[in-house]
Amino acid sequence: MVKIITDSSSNITVEEAEKLGITLMPLTINFGTKEYLDGVEITCDEFYKKLTEGSEFPHTSQLTEEQVEKAVSENLADGDEVLLMPLASVLSGSYERCKLVAERHENVTAYDTKCTTVMLKLCVLEALKMAQNGATAAEICAALDELRPKLKLYACLNTLENLRKGGRLSSVSAIIGSVLNIKPVITFSNDGKVEMASKQFGMHKAINYIASVVDKNKIDFTKPVYLIYTYNDKNCDVLLSKLGVECTEKSNICPVIGTHIGVDAAGIVFAEK
C-alpha cells in the first residue's frame, strides 16, 4: 500500500494523522528566537493567544531535507511506495525539499498539491482512500490532477496587519485598507497561488460576497465541505447561515497559515461536481 506523507499546513492534527495512518511533518513557527513545531510544540489556541497578546510577530520556516528524509526512510522500512504531499510549491520551498529526497529513492514520489490548509487535507484524504483500495502512487497522482481544479476556496480576511508585517502588503496599502475598512476576499488559482477575488467594504459585505459566488448546486457533497476560520468562529457562523449548506467540519486554520492571514477570517472549501 502507498504510504502518505503530508505537512502540518494540511490542518490535519497529530491525533488525526495517527488514526488515519499517515505521516505528518510539522512546519516550524518562530516567535523571536523561540521555535515551535506546528501542532506538536504549539497548539492552535496557544498560537493565536501569542499572536493576539504577544509583542513578537511570528515567522514560518519550510521543511528541512532532513525532516523529509527521516519521514521517508521510516515509511520505506516495509518496502511500500511513498507519496509526499506537501503544501503548494508556489507557497513554500518545502516541495523542492520533498522532490530532492524523492529523487534519491526508487519508490518515492513528490506531488505538487498546488494547495494548502483543508484543501490539502481533502486531497490527502482522497489519496488515502485510493491507497487503501490498492491504487499506485502514479494512479493517485493522476486522480489528484483531475480533482485539484475542482477544489475551491473563498475566504475573507478581517485584518491586513498580518500581510503587512509578513511583507506581503505595503504599509501604505495596509493603512488605507484599514481606514476604509476594506476586507479582501481571497481564493486559490489552479496552480496554488493566492489571488484576490474581491475587495469589500466591511466584513458583512465580504461574507455576503462569498455567499453570492458559491453556487450550492455545483458543490460535490460526496467530498468534504469545510468551513474555515482563524481564532474566532463568529464570522464563520455568519457565513454558514448565509450559505445554508451542510458542512463536514468547521476548522480553525493551523498556525503556519494563520500567521499570514490573521484572526477572525472566515471561508469555505469545497469540490465542484
Side-chain angles (χ1 to χ4, degrees):
M1 185 178 124
V2 176
K3 298 295 184 68
I4 309 295
I5 302 176
T6 190
D7 63 52
S8 60
S9 79
S10 64
N11 245 73
I12 296 173
T13 65
V14 173
E15 294 75 22
E16 284 178 313
E18 290 177 356
K19 184 177 180 180
L20 292 169
I22 65 173
T23 298
L24 193 66
M25 298 182 291
L27 294 160
T28 303
I29 301 156
N30 304 278
F31 278 96
T33 58
K34 180 66 175 175
E35 288 188 352
Y36 300 90
L37 291 177
D38 183 17
V40 177
E41 298 173 336
I42 189 168
T43 65
C44 265
D45 290 342
E46 291 167 343
F47 166 77
Y48 285 114
K49 183 176 176 64
K50 289 178 71 68
L51 181 67
T52 55
E53 298 179 6
S55 58
E56 294 177 314
F57 184 75
H59 297 277
T60 59
S61 300
Q62 60 195 27
L63 295 171
T64 66
E65 210 169 314
E66 291 74 21
Q67 269 183 291
V68 181
E69 183 64 58
K70 182 175 183 293
V72 165
S73 297
E74 289 173 351
N75 279 276
L76 279 176
D78 54 8
D80 286 312
E81 277 192 282
V82 170
L83 180 58
L84 289 158
M85 298 180 62
L87 74 167
S89 62
V90 297
L91 300 177
S92 168
S94 294
Y95 170 72
E96 288 303 319
R97 301 292 188 277
C98 291
K99 190 177 177 183
L100 284 171
V101 172
E103 289 171 350
R104 296 200 290 262
H105 299 274
E106 185 178 350
N107 296 326
V108 179
T109 301
Y111 181 73
D112 187 356
T113 61
K114 299 176 183 176
C115 61
T116 188
T117 72
V118 293
M119 290 178 81
L120 178 52
K121 181 176 183 177
L122 196 158
C123 287
V124 168
L125 294 178
E126 193 70 17
L128 179 62
K129 182 167 64 176
M130 290 188 67
Q132 290 171 338
N133 288 328
T136 64
E139 289 170 337
I140 294 171
C141 291
L144 292 177
D145 283 345
E146 291 187 14
L147 173 64
R148 176 58 189 86
K150 298 176 182 178
L151 299 185
K152 306 298 176 185
L153 176 148
Y154 294 99
C156 46
L157 310 189
N158 192 47
T159 177
L160 299 174
E161 269 302 287
N162 292 66
L163 292 175
R164 180 189 70 79
K165 289 179 179 179
R168 288 168 169 78
L169 187 69
S170 71
S171 296
V172 173
S173 296
I175 290 171
I176 293 173
S178 297
V179 169
L180 297 177
N181 197 29
I182 291 175
K183 307 299 181 184
V185 178
I186 60 171
T187 187
F188 275 97
S189 66
N190 286 340
D191 61 0
K193 292 179 182 176
V194 178
E195 295 182 342
M196 190 82 68
S198 179
K199 295 178 183 178
Q200 298 290 321
F201 293 103
M203 203 64 175
H204 179 72
K205 288 186 177 179
I207 290 172
N208 283 341
Y209 172 84
I210 294 176
S212 71
V213 297
V214 174
D215 187 342
K216 290 178 282 189
N217 295 317
K218 290 185 178 180
I219 296 177
D220 181 358
F221 287 101
T222 67
K223 302 284 192 297
V225 177
Y226 296 109
L227 271 293
I228 53 176
Y229 66 95
T230 50
Y231 186 52
N232 191 313
D233 64 356
K234 60 181 181 181
N235 290 324
C236 186
D237 286 341
V238 174
L239 175 59
L240 180 59
S241 69
K242 299 281 185 180
L243 289 166
V245 300
E246 291 287 330
C247 69
T248 307
E249 184 179 291
K250 189 164 64 171
S251 298
N252 192 6
I253 292 299
C254 63
V256 290
I257 304 302
T259 293
H260 304 291
I261 61 178
V263 300
D264 296 336
I268 183 172
V269 172
F270 60 93
E272 286 188 334
K273 295 177 182 176

